Amino acid sequence: MRTPLALAAGLAAAAALVALPHFLGRSGVYLLSYWVVFVVATMGLNLTVGYAGQKSLGHAAFFGIGAYTVAILMKAGLSFWLGLPLAALLCFASGIVVGFPALRVQAIYLAFATLGFNTAAWLFMRNEEWLTGGTFGIKDIARPSLFGVSFDGHRAYYYLCLAVAAILAALLYGLLRSPWGKAFTALRDNPIRAESLGVDVRGYTLLAFAIGAAYAGVAGALFAPLLEFIDPAPFSVGASIMMYLMVVVGGPGYFFGPMLGAAVGVVLPEWLRFAQDWYLFVFGAAVVLLMIWLPDGLLSIPGRLRARREARAASAARAAAAARLDGGGR
Amino acid sequence: MSAPLLEVTDLRKSYGAIRAVAGVSFEVRPGEIFGVIGPNGSGKTTMFNSVLGQIAPDAGAIRLKGADITGLSPLALNRRGVGRTFQTLQVFGRMSVRDNLLVAAQEHRGSMFSRMFAAPDSGLGARADALIDLFRIGHVADKPAGSLSYGQQKLVDIAMAFMSEPDLVLLDEPCAGVNPSLVGEIAALLRELNRSRGGSFVVIEHNMDFVMGLCHRVMVMVEGEVLAIGTPDAIRADRRVLDAYLGN
Amino acid sequence: MTDLLQLTFSGIATGSIYALAALGFTLLWQASGTINFAQGEFVMLPAFAMLFFAAQGAPLPVAFVLTIAVAVAVLGWAFKRGVVDPLFRHGMMAIVVATIGLSIAMRNGVRIYSADAHPFPSLFADKLLRVGGVTVSLADAGTLAFALVLVVATQAFLARTLTGRAMQAVAQNTESAAVLGINVPLMILYTFAINAVLACAAALLVTPVYFGKFDMGESLGTKAFFAAVIGGFNNSRGALLGGVIVGIGENLAAAYISPAYKDAVALALFMVVILFKPQGLLGRKEERKV
């Protein structure tokens, strides 16, 4: 991150993200906004899963809680700008509640518990029509405006999403650099040692869930006005698994993993449209192969290559030393 | 004589019919390196884990600086100035060596909330660098701890226990699986840390030369009980100790 | 009252099918630490294999035997060698994610082949039995009996035969089993084979009710998973109990609460078990590993 080259690459990427909508049509900008929303959601999941090591298969539930909070509040006449922080807050609180099982059960059982929570949340969204509209969903969710600036247009709304994502990315970057980031990582790598070093395992576990959930809540709050319509479908267990896959594909515990993973998860399906019926088959098979060949995600490739190069250099050095010894012995 | 730092009184722990620890009492003085030896199954590890809050003893009292700490969690013990190492390697594999050291002490700085906005090194950079120098691991300080050799990881592991400048450090077989030249190095490091920082250590170890050369006093445990406590010379001269090791 | 009894009985019958899938689930877990989220598709695939063989003119029993042979090779051997073995060192979540991917691939692969619901011949005549005022369909009674026989036979095989006991030794402690000279990889392969056979049996029982369809495994897999967790992941008898509980639960919830919350009872129980007794109703407690 500190080399000028990386800085230049970062600036170029930022410029591209700002300029890109002007070269894209309506559907292209929509897809880009979709990607940004999922980047926000998976950044949160990356904190929970990738950095803190808490296996969560229920992230889409928080995403849904955020979306429904904003949709319901806006339908009740409240402003989006009130709904957004409330969605984040409600998800933060739900994250703490869902985090409690993580204090009792670990690893795979935690994944099961979060999966169960998601199923319950989804059943609620589907069945409680009085609140959520059930399978009919909530229609005509308006896009917000701020100080007379309307975000109704597809490009304007994209910039709103991008701005929120940039702020949240900066906050996350700061958090991960702070002592909290190290505590989360310690929790993931070795909770028992962490506790013996004074790391409050309980507190950080709950925080990892709550902060991750709050990110999903903000993503959901952006998602509802983007689609202008929500129903329970995008918040199912399947969607949680999809988000988990995005994190894994990008590289769990890598800061830019979610950007890459969400791109693969959101944009690739569009590109694979030509495959039509074969798309999901190819996708499923690709997941299996990816787990076998690249379990730490795409961003682990550079590190892997470096490790291989170092190993090769070391073995070459050994061989050279052995050859020298042989020569000396003769 | 000064008041003891750690006082263990009549500690007992049974697993069913097996009395793992059967009434162990000892004290560790400030600045002392206290060795614990004994054949396998003599209850050393059970005693250790009871003191460290990993398992709950059936009976007995553990006091630190006069305060009762029996049954406190590992977290609470650490906050009171008790550090430890584990028998097996326990480093944070994907974090750099320096971050391993920083995280080992940062939780003693301020409140959890204040740490959210603290500098990345929590103001502990100089302390970490001092330990990195002492342990001579500067050339790997920025590498992920998991990528180091076993010996280097062992050094990081031990250094972490000293980061928060604890009053008492319990080391569980610091020489397990370590090559002979590194054993000497670890002994020298512990001696240096004891001299310069004045902390007390409790060391469980099978390597007799290491224990006898390092510790001020040694406790011998057999079948859950204390057989003898004394200086290395006194222990070496004790017939009962020889019998315990060679007799059976 | 008779309603309640009838609902309970048909719930037990459905639950016994879940139990078959759940039993394979727990066996895989015990022997190799594999959590197979494609278990539902492992039932769907044999259903289509049987339909395929039947379409070639094979009578049902022949189709069943052929399917078992194919399933042992594909869902047993190939699954273990191709997916589980290479993933084992990456830990459980990698296997979970990969088997989810596998289930998506299997489901959509079959959808390309055929997206229709195929009727499947029932093993049992369409007859009603009257037992003391309660009406019971022959299909329910037969399903229950068949599933019970299979579960008991699997149990007996594990407990009574030399091979079965070796398999249990592997499940309990792989290292000691290896020291004792047990061929660990072979025993694990046997477990995968048994899972495949149980899946074929479940397909034979469930397809007449659900029809052969590419997505028939989706809910079946979830139910089997719930059943396995509720009963106890590391206990084969738990799978039977869990399956029956899930079967009864969904029947009663649909009738007395709301069809929309049909799955809520199993879900609630699943959550309670995970949080308060993660080893399951019949499972042993596992030591926490450092």
Side-chain angles (χ1 to χ4, degrees):
Chain A
M1 268 317 282
R2 277 168 205 87
T3 62
L5 195 70
L7 191 68
L11 284 174
L17 285 177
V18 173
L20 208 50
H22 296 283
F23 302 99
L24 293 172
R26 197 182 180 81
S27 64
V29 176
Y30 175 78
L31 197 63
L32 208 57
S33 313
Y34 209 92
W35 169 70
V36 172
V37 167
F38 272 86
V39 167
V40 173
T42 48
M43 276 197 301
L45 187 59
N46 192 29
L47 176 73
T48 314
V49 173
Y51 285 97
Q54 305 299 314
K55 310 293 185 220
S56 165
L57 286 180
H59 206 59
F62 301 121
F63 188 49
I65 292 172
Y68 274 103
T69 303
V70 158
I72 291 166
L73 289 180
M74 285 177 78
K75 283 288 162 194
L78 270 76
S79 155
F80 171 82
W81 303 106
L82 194 66
L84 181 81
L86 278 177
L89 209 64
L90 187 60
C91 284
F92 187 88
S94 322
I96 288 184
V97 173
V98 176
F100 270 101
L103 306 177
R104 300 186 54 94
V105 294
Q106 283 296 312
I108 205 72
Y109 288 109
L110 177 59
F112 295 168
T114 53
L115 191 146
F117 161 71
N118 198 335
T119 310
W122 184 81
L123 277 176
F124 183 88
M125 291 173 199
R126 194 197 64 183
N127 293 335
E128 298 307 310
E129 275 183 27
W130 60 275
L131 186 67
T132 64
T135 45
F136 302 110
I138 299 175
K139 292 185 191 63
D140 302 321
I141 303 162
R143 288 181 183 171
S145 60
L146 185 66
F147 304 128
V149 180
S150 165
F151 294 103
D152 195 31
H154 56 288
R155 284 203 183 101
Y157 196 71
Y158 164 75
Y159 286 123
L160 173 66
C161 293
L162 190 63
V164 173
I167 293 168
L168 288 180
L171 282 176
L172 186 65
Y173 188 72
L175 184 77
L176 291 172
R177 268 172 56 87
S178 83
W180 279 29
K182 290 187 197 62
F184 286 137
T185 315
L187 180 67
R188 173 195 69 196
D189 281 2
N190 192 335
I192 291 177
R193 179 72 199 252
E195 193 179 18
S196 86
L197 293 169
V199 176
D200 184 349
V201 169
R202 293 173 64 95
Y204 282 112
T205 302
L206 294 181
L207 278 168
F209 266 98
I211 298 172
Y215 271 65
V218 172
L222 293 171
F223 187 67
L226 172 68
L227 270 65
E228 300 176 297
F229 163 76
I230 52 166
D231 68 351
F235 314 120
S236 65
V237 169
S240 278
I241 289 169
M242 200 62 208
M243 288 183 184
Y244 191 92
L245 285 176
M246 288 181 195
V247 170
V248 170
V249 167
Y254 291 90
F255 186 75
F256 292 103
M259 288 72 169
L260 196 60
V264 172
V266 172
V267 182
L268 210 59
E270 294 297 316
W271 286 351
L272 286 176
R273 277 255 169 98
F274 70 90
Q276 289 173 359
D277 290 348
W278 286 88
Y279 160 61
L280 278 170
F281 173 74
V282 171
F283 172 79
V287 167
V288 179
L289 294 178
L290 188 89
M291 289 319 290
I292 292 172
W293 286 327
L294 215 58
D296 291 324
L298 291 170
L299 286 180
S300 70
I301 292 175
R304 273 188 158 204
L305 291 179
R306 202 180 314 124
R308 191 180 296 174
R309 205 165 47 236
E310 276 173 14
R312 208 180 298 131
S315 76
R318 262 199 305 279
R324 235 178 295 125
L325 279 179
D326 275 359
R330 232 178 277 136
Chain B
M1 203 173 80
S2 53
L5 181 73
L6 177 73
E7 259 182 291
V8 174
T9 320
D10 200 24
L11 192 71
R12 288 167 192 276
K13 176 75 188 177
S14 299
Y15 293 104
I18 301 161
R19 298 193 308 164
V21 177
V24 167
S25 301
F26 64 93
E27 53 185 57
V28 179
R29 299 161 192 158
E32 183 176 43
I33 304 183
F34 187 83
V36 180
I37 60 172
N40 284 328
S42 60
K44 303 187 298 287
T45 301
T46 304
M47 179 276 289
F48 212 70
N49 285 336
S50 306
V51 172
L52 283 163
Q54 296 281 347
I55 53 177
D58 299 334
I62 304 158
R63 290 171 176 281
L64 183 74
K65 290 179 269 184
D68 189 8
I69 58 162
T70 319
L72 286 188
S73 72
L75 179 71
L77 285 172
N78 178 271
R79 295 282 168 84
R80 284 171 179 245
V82 179
R84 74 166 297 184
T85 67
F86 294 76
Q87 224 174 76
T88 50
L89 273 184
Q90 305 282 345
V91 296
F92 303 116
R94 275 177 69 182
M95 294 167 85
S96 74
V97 168
R98 180 174 275 106
D99 282 353
N100 265 277
L101 292 177
L102 291 175
V103 83
Q106 67 177 28
E107 304 297 315
H108 292 249
R109 288 282 171 117
S111 70
M112 197 177 201
F113 189 66
S114 74
R115 281 195 296 276
M116 189 178 178
F117 302 102
D121 71 353
S122 326
L124 292 162
R127 198 192 284 180
D129 288 337
L131 273 176
I132 286 172
D133 281 347
L134 180 64
F135 279 73
R136 282 185 273 163
I137 44 179
H139 56 296
V140 291
D142 293 318
K143 290 198 171 179
S147 71
L148 308 186
S149 71
Y150 183 89
Q152 285 169 329
Q153 289 194 47
K154 198 81 196 180
L155 289 176
V156 174
D157 199 338
I158 295 172
M160 283 161 76
F162 289 93
M163 258 308 280
S164 61
E165 304 189 334
D167 302 319
L168 176 69
V169 182
L170 290 90
L171 300 115
D172 196 352
E173 299 197 18
C175 300
V178 164
N179 70 47
S181 72
L182 193 58
V183 169
E185 204 176 310
I186 291 174
L189 282 167
L190 291 177
R191 221 174 278 125
E192 168 60 20
L193 283 163
N194 177 250
R195 191 189 59 76
S196 61
R197 303 187 176 207
S200 302
F201 311 158
V202 177
V203 184
I204 291 187
E205 183 52 63
H206 282 295
N207 187 327
M208 243 2 127
D209 292 340
F210 178 86
V211 172
M212 294 302 180
L214 176 70
C215 299
H216 303 127
R217 286 193 308 148
V218 176
M219 173 166 86
V220 186
M221 281 182 73
V222 174
E223 288 172 6
E225 293 177 15
V226 176
L227 184 72
I229 299 181
T231 62
D233 287 338
I235 294 294
R236 250 193 293 254
D238 197 323
R239 268 225 67 90
R240 291 173 305 162
V241 176
L242 270 178
D243 289 346
Y245 270 89
L246 304 175
N248 306 346
Chain C
M1 192 59 202
T2 49
D3 270 3
L4 181 68
L5 280 175
Q6 255 160 256
L7 286 169
T8 306
F9 187 80
S10 74
I12 293 175
T14 326
S16 65
I17 301 174
Y18 299 156
L20 284 181
L23 179 60
F25 210 95
T26 58
L27 288 178
L28 284 193
W29 162 255
Q30 289 172 53
S32 67
T34 304
I35 292 176
N36 182 18
F37 267 95
Q39 190 76 354
E41 279 63 37
F42 274 42
V43 175
M44 180 271 292
L45 230 45
F48 272 85
M50 279 186 272
L51 283 166
F52 173 79
F53 288 127
Q56 310 303 310
L60 190 59
V62 177
F64 183 59
V65 171
L66 286 173
T67 299
I68 285 182
V70 175
V72 166
V74 176
L75 304 177
W77 183 80
F79 173 57
K80 177 178 180 291
R81 291 302 297 272
V83 178
V84 175
D85 286 353
L87 276 170
F88 194 66
R89 65 200 168 92
H90 299 311
M92 233 157 6
M93 273 318 271
I95 295 182
V96 166
V97 171
T99 52
I100 288 171
L102 189 65
S103 76
I104 297 173
M106 283 176 158
R107 207 181 301 148
N108 291 284
V110 169
R111 183 161 78 170
I112 298 166
Y113 169 72
S114 164
D116 302 326
H118 300 267
F120 193 92
S122 174
L123 290 183
F124 311 102
D126 192 8
K127 244 175 74 179
L128 293 178
L129 309 173
R130 225 166 283 276
V131 186
V134 182
T135 314
V136 171
S137 79
L138 182 64
D140 277 354
T143 298
L144 179 60
F146 191 44
L148 270 182
V149 166
L150 273 172
V151 172
V152 170
T154 310
Q155 290 281 348
F157 172 75
L158 288 176
R160 300 278 160 78
T161 67
L162 209 58
T163 313
R165 277 206 288 265
M167 287 167 65
Q168 287 204 309
V170 170
Q172 270 156 33
N173 191 328
T174 312
E175 277 132 52
S176 322
V179 170
L180 290 171
I182 294 172
N183 185 345
V184 172
L186 186 67
M187 294 306 130
I188 294 180
L189 182 61
Y190 283 166
T191 314
F192 277 75
I194 290 179
N195 180 44
V197 174
L198 289 172
C200 292
L204 189 65
L205 293 175
V206 81
T207 323
V209 189
Y210 280 19
F211 292 151
K213 198 168 175 223
F214 69 93
D215 62 357
M216 67 184 273
E218 214 171 340
S219 77
L220 191 65
T222 313
K223 303 282 171 52
F225 168 63
F226 280 8
V229 170
I230 290 171
F233 241 63
N234 50 25
N235 185 311
S236 321
R237 261 173 306 154
L240 184 62
L241 178 70
V244 169
I245 289 176
V246 172
I248 297 175
E250 69 178 19
N251 258 9
L252 296 187
Y256 294 110
I257 303 172
S258 144
Y261 282 109
K262 181 164 119 57
D263 300 336
V265 173
L267 177 66
L269 199 58
F270 167 81
M271 292 297 274
V272 169
V273 165
I274 288 239
L275 295 184
F276 299 102
K277 207 168 180 300
Q279 69 274 25
L281 295 178
L282 295 183
R284 320 176 286 279
K285 199 158 188 146
E286 277 171 31
E287 289 294 313
R288 187 176 173 190
K289 284 173 191 133
V290 176

